[in-house]
Amino acid sequence: MGIACVAFIGPQNNPMYLRSIDPASDDLYMKLHYVVHCSLDAVEEKVLLKRGPGDSQDAYLGLLYPTEDYKVYGYLTNTHVKIIVLLDDEGTVKDEAVMRVFRRLHGLYVDTASNPFHKFGLPLSSPRFDGAVDGIVSIYRGAGASQGGFMT
Amino acid sequence: MVDIRPWLQELYAPAVLVASTPAAEALIQSKNGLGLVDLLRPYASAFGLNVPVRVGESSVRVQDLRVRFFDVGTLYQPPPEVIEDHLQDVLKLSSQRNAKLDPSPDLLQRFMSDNPPDMRELTPWFEAYRSEFMRLLRFGDHETLDYPVACVYAIPADVQNPSSHFDTLVAQMALPPLMAQDVMYTLRDKDFPRHYLLLLDASTGMNEKRAMDNLTAIRRLYGEAHCSILRINSGNGDRAHSGAPVDFFARYQFTCLTSGGAGEPRLRPPPPPGGVGAYLTVQDMDSIGGFVREFMCRTLLPRLEDRIARLNASITAARRGLRNRLNRFWKGAAEDRQTDRPYPWHSVEGQMRQLGDLAFLMRQYTFAESTYRLAAQDYQAEGNSKWYAGVEEMIGLCSVLNEPADPIAAVLLQNDPMKYFMRAYEHYTKPPAAVLAAPSPPASAGGAPGAPGSGPPLPPAALAASKVGRMLATRVVMLGAAVQSAAGRYRAASDALMRAQSEEENARAGLLLEQSAYCMLYLRPPLVRKFAFQMVLAGIRYICCGQKRIAIHAYRQVLALYLGRRWRYIEEHLHAVLGAQCVEYGDKDRALWHYCALLDCGHRPAAQQQHNVGQFLNLLAGVRDQLAITHDGVSLVDSLPLPLVNRHDVRVLCSDTACYSGPAARAMPESAWLKMEACCTSGSNNWLVEGGGAKQERDHEEYTMCVSGEEVGVQVEFRNPLAVKLKVSNVRLICTFTHESDPSAAGKGPVALPDSTNTSYFAAAGGSGTQSSNPLAEGAHPLLPGSAPPAISTQPGSEYLHVAEAQFTLHPGEALVEVLKVLPRAPGWLRITGVTWTLNGTAHGRITFDVKGRRRKKPKGERPGQLKHFPPHRRLLFQVVPAMPRLELLGDPLPPALYSGELCRVIMRIRNSGGLPLRSLALVVGHPEAVVPATDANKDRPLLDSLTDHREVVQLSKVPASARGTLQLYRLWPGRELAPGEVLEWPLWLHPRGQGTLKLPIVWYGEPAAPKSGMRHRTLRICGSVSVQPLLSARPVVWPSPTHLSQYLLRLGVDNSKDAERVVLQQLAAVTVPPLPPHHVAGASGVDTPATPTNTPRPVPVGWRMSMLGDTVGAPSSAATSGPGLPGNATPDGPPAMAGGAEAAARSLPLAVPLQPGESAGLFLQLLAPPPAAQQLRQVAGSSASVAAAGMSSGPGGAGTGISPPPSGLATPGRADDPSAVAARAVAQAAEAVRSLALAEGGASGAGPTGRVSPYVDGSDSGLQQLNLFGPGVLAHFYRRGRKGMVAATSGLGAAGATTPGGLSQQRTPGAAATGVATPQQAMLPGGPQPALGQSVSFSPQTQAMGGPGAPLRGVSFGPTSTAAAAALQGPGGLGPGPQGPMGPGRPPLPPGVGGPGVAGPGGGLLAAAGQGQAMVAAGPGRPGPPLLLADPPLDLLLLWHVAASQRTGPHQGRQRLGLCRPYDPQSNRDLSGCIQAHTTPVRMLLSGPNGASSAASATGSAGPVVRHDFRRSPLAVLPLRLRVRNNTALEARLQIEVGEGWSSNDAPHSWQASTGLLGGSHAAAPAAAPVSMGPPSAGATGAGPVSAGPTGGNGPLGQSMMAGAPGGGPGAGGGGGMAGSMMAITYQAGLPPCPEYAWVGPSFVSVPRMEPGGEAEVTLAVSVFRPGAYSISGYRCTAFLEATGAVEVQRGEPLCFRVEGA
């Protein structure tokens, strides 16, 4: 079980950041784009169904939908930036672990957006951001392995 | 929600087998082109039968029945490959027919609306495909739904012995494969329902009787009910009277397969000549219908009932009931078969399925379902997955069809049929047992059932079986999805479809995906993105199987959902796929569109970009009419994204009234130009028309004027975003032109067309007679290869307009600003709308500028964006006016680089390139470092000649006040005109003084000789820039001359820049401004005087002089001896004329100092301040006066009786020389000291010739040494400046403040205590004290205020207050009456504390004075008083340098260059006065003593000279001292010199002191103790009194002046004594410390009554000592009273050191 892709989607549903954790071919990259784009439907659906007016709910949206290859998880920040994570469809997924990843990614995004030179909603392109995302992903991977427990 | 049940019921119907002899078949075929089956099929449905049928336990009446007729030879399933091929064809055909290449409009809106579109309407090909798919999957071995339940045998009616024919038919009949395998209920079974049919062909004249006989015979044989005769072919070959529609039969015919099967024959008979069914009549048809009905009622249904009953009984016996269940329970494991071999029809398992199917066909779904369930247990137990899947499928269908029609019940019974379908799906997809069994040994070991392809190659049968299994699975999913979506459960439908598609073959997967995608849209809310994604996936699958059209359809359907959402990768993927597909499909236009969208791919790797561009251009290469390729109403030409054109920021380069000489001029802000132009146009404009003209507006759109025959340029930025080189050619503007005289246009306003898009605008322009140059508006694109030449001459507008073409190459990432030009040739209206170009010679692009010139009629607000007000460079509408004059600059005259300070003359060449002559030429220069001479007479003469020419002057015209100071206006050539084509050359002097870049805006102005409408003048705006490099830098250091009060020493270090050239310093000149008249001082100090013509000769050209310090020692000394006034008087104007001794102090110094790059030189100069304007030599015969004073003082000095007479006292210090010689020597000594210091410094700086004038230095130019830098002319213009006087440094004031406390320390406390007493003084203000007050205090504002009223009172107040007290008051004022003695203890102006007897009044006044002094102390440092102007005029030095032959490349090479260096801080534009100012105090003092003792020398630390005195001869050594005082302020001042305040020597107790008054009323007050003590003090005081009163030694004028000017009120107070100006006798008083036992001579005053600005005075003092030692005299100071402002300046003197030794 591991994270295959991390994506940040802007409030206008525009892609701000999409990164395949493992090096991906063009086709795969394209597919990730499609999958992430699709997941926005699920986000909207969840938001629409779950949230009434004046309802403040958890930013974590949980499993959005499964595809053949991935499990798509979502997270919605207060500024309507969506964080989408694609998990390899292997093994069980612990919600807490995923939520932790999302929290970290959210924190990372907040830090990045606090940069006075960053313009809200525009694509993120910073090697430092890449590195930080990698770090978070690797942490998740490690945590997942240890939680699995029975790795021999 | 639609009811799906009719459709499902339609799918299934009992099948009837039809077999006929070839003869019988021929009867129908030959005439009608039909088979017997075809004939029967149209009548396969019968209604209103009302036949009772018992199914299971229930009995129903069958009302309607539909059967399906199949020929016996077609009852088999075709092989899967054939099925696939056929289905591909079906899909292709259907998509050709139905799939649109353009996306269906507002698809989403329709889905969002209340009435979403039907799925069948969206995907008709799916319906077609599905029905064919299901049809072809019939006759599988696991389901009996399609197995025949009855058969019809047909033979010709007139045969002999029909039964034998029937037998033969049955015997020879080839049974269907499944029937042969015993899977299908076989015909051979005796209970198989049969019907016998005799075909009677009416057209061949068959024997009807025999036919009837035959019928009777077979009826007898087979039963009455099961035999029929059918009369056909009763027509005559003309199908007109059959009445059947053309496709009456074809509707029931399905496509034939190459392999046959699936219920259709392999081949259809060819249609007969008369057409299909030509011989059939209505009667025939009717009889066919009748036959079918009869067959159903009499054979089919009864026999079916029988069969159901038999099957039911058999199954009941074998399977139903508890016993059987137990049996099976026990035996179940044993019967494990692990094979999906079909069950034979007679087996129980087969029978169960048959029973279920029959019940299903009879629509007894409950019974069927239970039967299926029963069977399912068996199948599942036996692991026969295919059969199991089959029954599960049927259970699912049953549960759907069995739903009650009542919706409420349906909801209650909500059992999801989907589970059955999915169960069926899973079991269908299981690999068949044969596949598993085949590789059984390895399979058992490996056990990989999911990987059928991994083992050894499968037998073809098994492969086909797995393929069929896959298809069946898909069929189940299709059914299930149809059911679910009909029930509105779209998500479940989508899930099922998505599940099925992943393993399905491409075409079906695509179909399934498409269905699933649309399901997403039916959801609420619609999952649009999922829809899009699945459509894309479907498109991919379609592409894979070659279904191009439907693939394109799928992609385009969703393209709009992705476009513009910034999902770039997705967009590009879609475009790339669509482009490729469209190319393959042959849709070039659309392919171009998609490739065009791919062109903007700067983020891709370069190879990809290259590929994209190449692909697009290749595709476009053959296209001729690119304009015709439109998409959504936008032409491809309009959307070509390469190169990027910045359509928002275009800049119009057009010359209206203003012409520009280059881009630099355009870069200047418009406001700056307007301000410059306002200088010239101010005469013709008023404030109403700002900016040079009325607001130019046409139809609420601002326009610009341009002149016909002059090009209008538009700056457009092209950018190449790619890493591919782009060639852009044929770049030209799109514009429309309306001729002024166009009648049609004139009527309605030529270009003011109503709001319209550009295309329609073009069309309208073309149609309305507007001359349009736009090639695109005409029919043919002139840029197309091979079509009309692009020359504009063929265009109708050619005579009016010429559009220039440009071409360029854009390198990767390059941005290029191109100026595109259009040339209007006639007056009219021109509008520029856009630009067109050709990319790489192939692709045409066009873009419309996004500059909306239209202004709102009612602006919303005040902000610029709301006003929609466009600056001129953004207006694209032009009024072309007739030819005008036009100024043009020929070449850039400015050199690229100049040295800082260089003087350079350039020639501007201006041509009138317009069509009219020009008059009133004027020129505005916007920088003070460039001037224009009044004449061009010298323009061809050498630089030096021009400089010296007296005509080379600057004549400025008056400019508006707002622009004054920065702009210079010159009116040239008054009264002359510049004819068209004529060239005007005019020189321009440049003298850059800063460093960096000099931006020089110049405006040439001219008016047309004959003014036309619109343009009253034209200007040429030039903005030149010169890079100014540093050359010389000067470091001036100024300090006051130690020997002369009006002189300063200047050390001028000059550095040559390291990367400069060898320069020769040629001349140094002191440029100065004469001192101002006194009455101007106050008023003109802050005001910048207008630039008066500088060529007016100065009346008195006096100014600063200077001389070399290092030259001669004698010169300064002689100057010193002759007094400060001497140089001023002696040197006339014209420094070059000066020679000899006068050379020492001239206004300019010739030099010849060469400086190599990086070298430095030091010049030491003496600066001589100009003498005061009306100065009189105020030299007092000091010696005689002092002698006289001494002599006189000796008399009254009772205490010092034994003192030697003054002459001897004076003679003592100077042993040999007379005093003047001594003084001269002292000064020389000091000067020498200073000079040695300077020389040492100069030597350290490293330059050899430290300012010494060499006779000749290489490169030096004697002419330059003589150059007059003062006179009128260009040079003077550069250095004209405001006459701002110098201001005294506040340090003097601060020093005064600092010194006063020290000196006043002991008086401070009484002063403070006395402040309480000051109140009576307030009351007494109008009274007597006023004069004293007015004189002594004027520091702080309030005292000034007091002084103010005091001054007028002064004269008046004396009369009334002439009491004794008032008289006593006058003491400090300069009178010396006896009673005043007690009053002046330590310092005269300060009260002695509690005051003397009866002096309350004066004491109060004096206390007030003390209070004021204290206030001054408090206010002094923090808040300096108003600055004091200095007497000396501002000084500026100019250093003329010269480069003989410039080494620099460029225009200067080999040329002489000269320039001026201004030593002091040119950046802040200050002159050298600032330096001097810093060292100048309001009053300068210089104390000198015998043997050259000087305070200046002492200040440098020298111990001073030695004075020998024979103390044995005379106990007192009297040393004469001279104090020289200069009034540095620009105001007349009265000075008061006080001495004795702080004598101190190395051994203070042994010092004696003396004081003497020379000028004015000096007053020696009694010591402090005097009032309280006894006689001697009083004697001293009285002694002093007579002394002051007695000797009237003052010369007349002095006394006069004193009496007039001194406010002491001496005359009045003295009671006619009038001797205020008397000499003060020196009083000798022996005494050690000031103590009451000895009379101590206290401080003394010397008053200098009136000192003019810059004036000097000399005061003779003396000091006496009585013992040898080293002495330092420090206690003297000077207080200046400035009458004009009432200020008081206190200056403390420098100490004077000397030693006294015994002789």
Side-chain angles (χ1 to χ4, degrees), chain B residues 1094-1115:
Chain B
T1094 50
N1095 52 1
T1096 52
R1098 292 180 193 166
V1100 186
V1102 282
W1104 290 79
R1105 321 268 150 177
M1106 60 190 166
S1107 67
M1108 276 292 178
L1109 187 60
D1111 288 349
T1112 53
V1113 180

Side-chain angles (χ1 to χ4, degrees), chain B residues 7 117 141 196 467 489 662 736 754 825 862 893 924 954 1093 1150 1282 1296 1302 1318 1323 1377 1464 1512-1513:
Chain B
W7 177 69
D141 55 1
Y196 302 90
K467 273 189 188 167
R489 292 186 288 264
T736 54
R825 289 177 172 151
E862 292 299 314
V924 182
V954 175
Y1464 188 70
R1512 287 163 303 183
R1513 213 175 59 162

Side-chain angles (χ1 to χ4, degrees), chain B residues 437-708:
Chain B
S440 67
S444 59
S454 61
L458 295 168
L463 207 60
S466 70
K467 273 189 188 167
V468 171
R470 184 73 248 168
M471 288 190 219
L472 290 170
T474 304
R475 187 184 71 179
V476 171
V477 168
M478 282 180 179
L479 285 171
V483 167
Q484 294 289 37
S485 42
R489 292 186 288 264
Y490 291 101
R491 194 180 286 275
S494 165
D495 287 347
L497 291 166
M498 287 304 287
R499 186 161 172 196
Q501 60 88 17
S502 59
E503 292 163 43
E504 208 12 304
E505 170 268 346
N506 280 326
R508 266 194 298 286
L511 284 166
L512 295 177
L513 279 166
E514 196 175 32
Q515 291 299 304
S516 169
Y518 281 110
C519 283
M520 291 299 168
L521 286 185
Y522 283 104
L523 287 177
R524 286 293 170 268
L527 301 184
V528 178
R529 299 182 187 87
K530 249 180 181 168
F531 158 72
F533 182 33
Q534 293 181 358
M535 284 298 269
V536 168
L537 291 177
I540 294 174
R541 302 303 283 260
Y542 283 139
I543 287 171
C544 290
C545 68
Q547 297 283 354
K548 294 195 181 61
R549 187 177 176 95
I550 198 166
I552 293 171
H553 169 84
Y555 273 117
R556 294 187 72 96
Q557 196 76 44
V558 297
L559 185 59
L561 298 177
Y562 286 113
L563 289 186
R565 310 276 161 100
R566 287 183 266 181
W567 288 82
R568 204 165 194 181
Y569 279 85
I570 296 179
E571 277 179 34
E572 281 170 11
H573 170 239
L574 289 179
H575 280 304
V577 169
L578 277 171
Q581 289 304 308
C582 288
V583 168
E584 283 189 29
Y585 190 68
D587 190 350
K588 210 168 182 179
D589 286 8
R590 287 198 175 84
L592 277 172
W593 271 100
H594 294 301
Y595 283 149
C596 185
L598 280 178
L599 287 180
D600 185 15
C601 55
H603 55 289
R604 293 282 189 180
Q608 176 84 41
Q609 297 176 12
Q610 182 82 51
H611 172 75
N612 285 353
V613 174
Q615 192 172 248
F616 175 72
L617 293 178
N618 284 343
L619 195 61
L620 195 61
V623 179
R624 293 190 61 88
D625 189 4
Q626 296 180 11
L627 201 62
I629 302 174
T630 56
H631 181 260
D632 292 342
V634 184
S635 168
L636 180 69
V637 174
D638 282 326
S639 61
L640 184 68
L642 291 179
L644 283 181
V645 180
N646 191 344
R647 60 197 288 256
H648 307 291
D649 189 18
V650 294
R651 213 183 154 83
V652 174
L653 309 179
C654 162
S655 303
D656 45 358
T657 57
C659 312
Y660 293 86
S661 73
R666 293 196 184 266
M668 286 265 296
E670 177 79 12
S671 57
W673 289 122
L674 288 180
K675 201 174 163 193
M676 290 178 75
E677 283 167 4
C679 295
C680 334
T681 58
S682 55
S684 58
N685 276 337
N686 58 30
W687 58 272
L688 282 171
V689 283
E690 132 187 309
K695 185 175 277 180
Q696 296 171 336
E697 203 173 282
R698 180 182 183 82
D699 194 26
H700 302 294
E701 182 175 351
E702 286 165 315
Y703 62 86
T704 313
M705 274 198 286
C706 67
V707 180
S708 70

